[in-house]
Amino acid sequence: MLKVMHLAAKSATPNSQWEDLNHFPAANLVQWDNIKTQLDLVLLSLETLTGIGSEAMLSAAINLNLESKVPDRVALWRLRQSNPLRKGQGGRKNLDVEEARSLVLISCYLAKQHQELIRRAVGLLEQIAAKNQKPHQIALLGDYIDTFCNTYQERMEEDEKISTDSLTHLALKLLVDLLFYSAPSGHRRLWLSLIDRSTKQF
């Protein structure tokens, strides 16, 4: 069963958080594709749960002193288009380690801002799991899942059509991950998750 985390600790400064993410092993192209996909999906989960958009992400970049890495909507779009699952080729680019660090910090900053909503959603997920109910029976979870699935299908390639059940599972897994990323040490958790992906054999 999923367990809701109750986390409280002093927030780190943007500079100290950046320094926390100073180690990343070399990754091959396939592993980097996996990392780029994960970063974009974390942001997609945040978007579809909270209703935030690019303005909130750019505001987070300013507050974290990352505007040189993510200066405007076009730059943000290009970074997210590096996800190889995305439709369209025009904006796709390589993602370097500093850009990955920036997206990690932005994602976790936004998750912290919306921690109460994330915690409420995961708490509801716990409750329905205990009662063997379906997530769509709860309005908050049903709206999130529907919006996530629809947005995923709008933005991602459909070379191999993914099932609704698979998308629902992905949406709920990302929701639980967001709770961890909303913690004061969330940026380290997400970074370690990416490192884990970079060291797996595909």
Side-chain angles (χ1 to χ4, degrees), residues 110-175:
L110 293 169
K112 289 183 183 74
Q113 284 192 324
H114 296 277
Q115 187 184 58
E116 183 179 344
L117 176 59
I118 295 167
R119 185 172 288 162
R120 180 155 57 94
V122 175
L124 289 169
L125 194 56
E126 277 193 305
Q127 291 175 27
I128 64 165
K131 297 176 182 177
N132 291 319
Q133 294 178 320
K134 299 292 185 183
H136 276 96
Q137 293 178 265
I138 306 294
L140 175 61
L141 296 176
D143 290 345
Y144 163 65
I145 291 167
D146 288 344
T147 306
F148 180 93
C149 292
N150 291 336
T151 307
Y152 184 100
Q153 289 168 337
E154 286 171 5
R155 295 183 185 177
M156 308 301 171
E157 297 284 2
E158 295 186 56
D159 294 335
E160 297 180 9
K161 192 163 180 63
I162 187 168
S163 70
T164 301
D165 285 347
S166 295
L167 278 179
T168 298
H169 177 78
L170 175 61
L172 295 178
K173 180 187 182 303
L174 287 164
L175 173 62

Side-chain angles (χ1 to χ4, degrees), residues 28-187:
N28 64 37
L29 291 176
V30 173
Q31 292 163 343
W32 261 117
D33 279 352
N34 193 278
I35 290 164
K36 291 183 289 188
T37 299
Q38 177 68 7
L39 284 169
D40 187 37
L41 290 178
V42 169
L43 285 171
L44 177 62
S45 178
L46 271 168
E47 283 182 273
T48 52
L49 177 68
T50 66
I52 63 170
S54 57
E55 285 302 321
M57 296 174 197
L58 293 173
S59 177
I62 292 170
N63 291 333
L64 293 165
N65 300 318
L66 297 173
E67 56 265 54
S68 64
K69 309 287 190 306
V70 191
D72 52 40
R73 287 172 181 265
V74 173
L76 176 62
W77 178 76
R78 287 179 180 275
L79 290 180
R80 297 192 67 184
Q81 282 292 116
S82 69
N83 173 3
L85 296 184
R86 284 255 186 169
K87 293 178 180 177
Q89 301 292 326
R92 190 166 299 168
K93 67 185 290 294
N94 292 326
L95 188 77
D96 63 31
V97 173
E98 288 204 349
E99 289 166 337
R101 291 164 94 178
S102 299
L103 290 181
V104 165
L105 293 181
I106 289 169
S107 298
C108 294
Y109 179 91
L110 293 169
K112 289 183 183 74
Q113 284 192 324
H114 296 277
Q115 187 184 58
E116 183 179 344
L117 176 59
I118 295 167
R119 185 172 288 162
R120 180 155 57 94
V122 175
L124 289 169
L125 194 56
E126 277 193 305
Q127 291 175 27
I128 64 165
K131 297 176 182 177
N132 291 319
Q133 294 178 320
K134 299 292 185 183
H136 276 96
Q137 293 178 265
I138 306 294
L140 175 61
L141 296 176
D143 290 345
Y144 163 65
I145 291 167
D146 288 344
T147 306
F148 180 93
C149 292
N150 291 336
T151 307
Y152 184 100
Q153 289 168 337
E154 286 171 5
R155 295 183 185 177
M156 308 301 171
E157 297 284 2
E158 295 186 56
D159 294 335
E160 297 180 9
K161 192 163 180 63
I162 187 168
S163 70
T164 301
D165 285 347
S166 295
L167 278 179
T168 298
H169 177 78
L170 175 61
L172 295 178
K173 180 187 182 303
L174 287 164
L175 173 62
V176 175
D177 288 345
L178 286 181
L179 184 59
F180 287 93
Y181 302 154
S182 72
S185 60
H187 60 292

